[in-house]
């Protein structure tokens, strides 16, 4: 799901549009495997109960709540989270039901840096830190290819982001 172009101003171009790094989906994958294994291991004992029908409904209800909380919600959050840099602003959009948006004009950005731990370097992600005149530093976690994003944002801030109507990621 790409960033909707109708949220852009006239003549505004998307330079970077990223979801969080795929490692944000590790917990949902592990949870779905654990829930499947847990459900399969409980199937035999539940069937042996004298009140098996009620137990099946309880087991199904608990499993459905856990799947929604541990699998569906994080995947939807990942799908609907966008870190976007245009030629005019830095934006972050999060959420399906409860939405949060950040719009920071590039004129307010003073400095951009990134931080990576050992695991971040191994996985190719990191935290992008944007210092602005508006507030304290803004930290965007789990940005994939954070060094390249930082370099592209630096080019945008220096004014060298567009050449012949095309942005650095190929979107016009």
């Amino acid at each position: 799901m790409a960033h909707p172009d109708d949220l852009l101003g006239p003549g505004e171009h998307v330079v970077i549009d990223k979801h969080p790094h795929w490692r944000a989906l590790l917990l949902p994958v592990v949870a779905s495997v654990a829930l499947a294994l847990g459900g399969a291991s409980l199937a035999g004992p539940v069937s042996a109960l004298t009140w098996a029908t009620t137990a099946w409904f309880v087991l199904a209800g608990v499993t459905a709540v856990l799947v929604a909380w541990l699998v569906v919600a994080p995947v939807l959050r990942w799908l609907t989270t966008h870190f976007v840099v245009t030629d005019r602003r830095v934006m972050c959009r999060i959420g399906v039901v409860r939405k949060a948006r950040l719009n920071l004009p590039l004129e307010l950005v003073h400095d951009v840096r990134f931080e990576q731990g050992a695991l971040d370097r191994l996985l190719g992600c990191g935290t992008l830190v944007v210092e602005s005149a508006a507030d304290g530093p803004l930290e965007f976690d789990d940005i994939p290819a954070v060094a390249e994003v930082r370099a592209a944002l630096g080019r945008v801030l220096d004014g060298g982001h567009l050449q012949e109507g095309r942005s650095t990621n190929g979107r016009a």
Side-chain angles (χ1 to χ4, degrees), residues 17-105:
D17 184 1
K18 300 267 187 188
H19 286 290
H21 193 265
W22 57 263
R23 84 174 185 175
L25 296 175
L26 287 178
L27 178 62
V29 168
V30 169
S32 63
V33 169
L35 288 169
L37 292 175
S41 68
L42 290 175
V46 166
S47 297
L49 296 173
T50 56
W51 43 280
T53 305
T54 304
W56 277 110
F57 280 115
V58 170
L59 182 61
V62 169
T63 302
V65 168
L66 288 174
V67 165
W69 181 41
L70 296 174
V71 179
V72 175
V75 169
L76 284 176
R77 191 174 313 114
W78 182 85
L79 282 171
T80 59
T81 298
H82 289 270
F83 174 76
V84 179
V85 176
T86 71
D87 54 348
R88 297 183 191 159
R89 56 190 164 152
V90 175
M91 297 183 283
C92 186
R93 297 178 51 235
I94 302 170
V96 178
V97 176
R98 192 181 91 185
K99 293 187 178 190
R101 290 190 177 132
L102 166 88
N103 286 309
L104 179 65

Side-chain angles (χ1 to χ4, degrees), residues 82-85 89-94 100-115 126-143 146 149-150 153:
H82 289 270
F83 174 76
V84 179
V85 176
R89 56 190 164 152
V90 175
M91 297 183 283
C92 186
R93 297 178 51 235
I94 302 170
R101 290 190 177 132
L102 166 88
N103 286 309
L104 179 65
L106 291 179
E107 300 88 46
L108 298 179
V109 175
H110 287 243
D111 187 36
V112 181
R113 67 180 192 279
F114 68 91
E115 299 169 355
T127 300
L128 189 72
V129 181
V130 178
E131 300 216 18
S132 70
D135 287 319
L138 301 169
E139 294 187 3
F140 301 98
D141 296 322
D142 291 332
I143 301 293
V146 70
V149 170
R150 194 294 177 209
L153 186 52

Side-chain angles (χ1 to χ4, degrees), residues 140-166:
F140 301 98
D141 296 322
D142 291 332
I143 301 293
V146 70
E148 289 83 10
V149 170
R150 194 294 177 209
L153 186 52
R155 285 191 299 274
V156 170
L157 290 170
D158 291 339
H161 58 289
L162 295 177
Q163 292 179 351
E164 299 173 20
R166 296 188 59 147

